Amino acid sequence: MTDTSVLVLVDHHEGTVRASANELLTAARSLGSGIGAVWLGDGAEQHLPALAAHGASVVHQVELGENGATPAAVAQALAEVCAAAGATTVLLSSTFENKEAAALLALALDAGLAVDVSGLELGEAGRVVTVQQAFTATWTVRSEVVTERAVVALKPNAVQAGPSSDAPSVAEVVTHALAGPVQERGARVVSRTPRPSSGRPDLGEARTVVVGGRGTEGDFSVVEELADALDGAVGATRVATDEGWISHDAQIGQTGVTVSPRLYVGAGVSGAVHHRGGMQSSETIVAVNSDPEAPIFEIADFGVVGDLFTVLPQAAAEIRRVRAEQG
Amino acid sequence: MRIVVCVKHVPDVQGERAFTSDGLVDRSRGDGTLNELDENAVEAAVSLVEEHGGEVVVLTMGPADAEDAVRRGLQMGADQAVHVHDDALAGSDSMVTAEILAAAVRHIAQDGQVDLVVTGMAALDGLMSVVPTLLAAHLELPRATLAARLAVADGQVTITRELDHATEELTAPLPALVSVTDQTNQPRYPNFKAIMAARKKPVTALSLADLGVDPSRAGAAGSRTRVLAAEPRPARENRVLITDEGDAGLRLAQFLVDNRLV
């Protein structure tokens, strides 16, 4: 088996690999050679070429127990692969469940832990250096992991995914079974109700997010129209979810989903600090609001003082026209 | 039942927040407050004790002024407070923080079994949300995180939570750890009487020596991560603000095309 220094957990759902996987593999390449992808469950075969193209020389396929991919099971699987492969760094995407797994894994490995990471590099003496945002993304914090082992959860969209120039032509597959029972400590899921998919990208990892706030007065049709023109996700402010205009899982903010897409469009969003905490690290911020004093204009790259019900449909129509021209 | 609520003292989110040149959260500005999301944790614990009887102990770790956070918890109805305060704690990362809090919970348990540990969903300064998971692991407790609703009956805690793709109901036998979201409840606002009553409630200060924790395992010395630099993010440059004169949608689309965002 090839020596691996970095392991990447591949998030997949119903046979589809999440976009974060290639971002993580791309980030892993900046830390060293010998990258192992970890695939929990079965179904890795058809994805091997793509994983190899992004730098994975080995794919570790791990059979989980009957409880499936609980954070404890994920942590145990990663700890066991880490020991078998001799890896020192494990990368995961920074979702809520993965952060739980990352915390448990760091304990198991006695590793340094960094979550919600927006940048990653190799520092002095081969230490992992991470970049994180703090205080509503108004500060940037660079930290180093001082232990030999590091567990790092990277935010979606933090890294632009790209194929490796010296990619392994084929990824070796190594299968593992969990060595022991998973220590779940008695918490048990008694019911799980999946939410129907909207057909739009996942809010947490979408490259474009269009958000409706109080200014929509409950009518999200133009927000959805612009999101669909841009193949984006639809989000909302706390006011909009509290009013019941849209389901709670669409809420962006410190207590909801944190997004850092390439493009954020806020429509009728005032930009209260609690909302900014969930979106201020977005690459480009566009805001449309009828109130010229709205705080969101202080952080918007492109702001429009106007009525969202005329501006958004006009923009959506123009974008559809341009995209049709581009073919 | 006996409940420990872990809370954090953080800079006010509405204020100007900053780091010191050593990469620590600047606490010198005097506008620190009980982390807003921990108010939901205190409320959850106090309501449970009102329903089932028992005691709420509010616990924090931090410099001298962090006592304000547990004082607020006492005003909201907690019965007593514990403040872990030691110069050797400066620079503690999340893994060390969880280890110290676990030692403090064990210390509190010497006076009577702790049935439930309650935390907020995140601290509004770091927002990492990993301490509840780490704390449960150190205490070897079942963990039910991100509770949007919570109930205790027959020695079990039951929570409902909203994850990215599903709504889940979880149960765990007590003792257990629960983290609660801001959807769980509406924190009470202490009245004058509650504020006066809180003045008489005990706040116990504990040092690392009291907890039997070796200082080399705490603070910057024990942490596995170290801040190299903290800088304010530069303001966004070349910002454009237009007022709609009938073509703002077209100009918005052009901006997106120019920036390859379409």
Side-chain angles (χ1 to χ4, degrees), chain A residues 210-296:
Chain A
V210 184
V211 177
R214 190 192 296 275
T216 64
E217 293 172 357
D219 181 356
F220 266 63
S221 60
V222 294
V223 173
E224 289 170 351
E225 183 190 354
L226 182 60
D228 290 341
L230 290 163
D231 292 330
V234 171
T237 62
R238 178 72 190 267
V239 170
T241 57
D242 278 357
E243 291 283 346
W245 297 340
I246 184 166
S247 71
H248 178 70
D249 55 303
Q251 185 210 326
I252 290 171
Q254 292 180 141
T255 60
V257 183
T258 304
V259 299
S260 48
R262 284 194 67 210
L263 171 63
Y264 166 101
V265 182
V269 173
S270 66
V273 65
H274 290 94
H275 183 68
R276 294 209 304 269
M279 50 65 71
Q280 196 151 341
S281 59
S282 304
E283 202 172 304
T284 299
I285 296 174
V286 170
V288 180
N289 199 305
S290 56
D291 175 10
E293 303 298 321
I296 196 161

Side-chain angles (χ1 to χ4, degrees), chain A residues 100 136 185 192 195 238, chain B residues 17 142-143 145 163 168 182:
Chain A
E100 289 206 335
T136 328
R185 301 210 193 278
R192 185 178 167 89
R195 251 186 300 280
R238 178 72 190 267
Chain B
R17 295 179 287 175
R143 131 187 71 81
T145 46
L163 298 178
E168 279 186 354
D182 60 338

Side-chain angles (χ1 to χ4, degrees), chain A residues 100 110 133 136-138 140 142 144 146 185 188 190-193 195 238 282 297 301 303 305 314, chain B residues 17 142-143 145 162-163 165 167-169 171 182 224 226 228-229 231 233 236 239-240 242 244 249:
Chain A
E100 289 206 335
D110 197 22
Q133 315 292 332
T136 328
T138 54
T140 301
R142 283 166 57 84
E144 70 174 357
V146 298
R185 301 210 193 278
R188 201 165 52 87
V190 288
S191 76
R192 185 178 167 89
T193 315
R195 251 186 300 280
R238 178 72 190 267
S282 304
F297 287 130
D301 298 288
V305 179
Q314 190 182 51
Chain B
R17 295 179 287 175
R143 131 187 71 81
T145 46
E162 307 283 341
L163 298 178
H165 303 283
T167 302
E168 279 186 354
E169 195 177 298
T171 66
D182 60 338
R224 296 164 186 81
R226 184 170 73 95
L228 296 173
E231 288 169 357
R233 270 164 67 112
R236 290 170 185 265
R239 291 189 294 119
V240 176
I242 63 170
D244 186 20

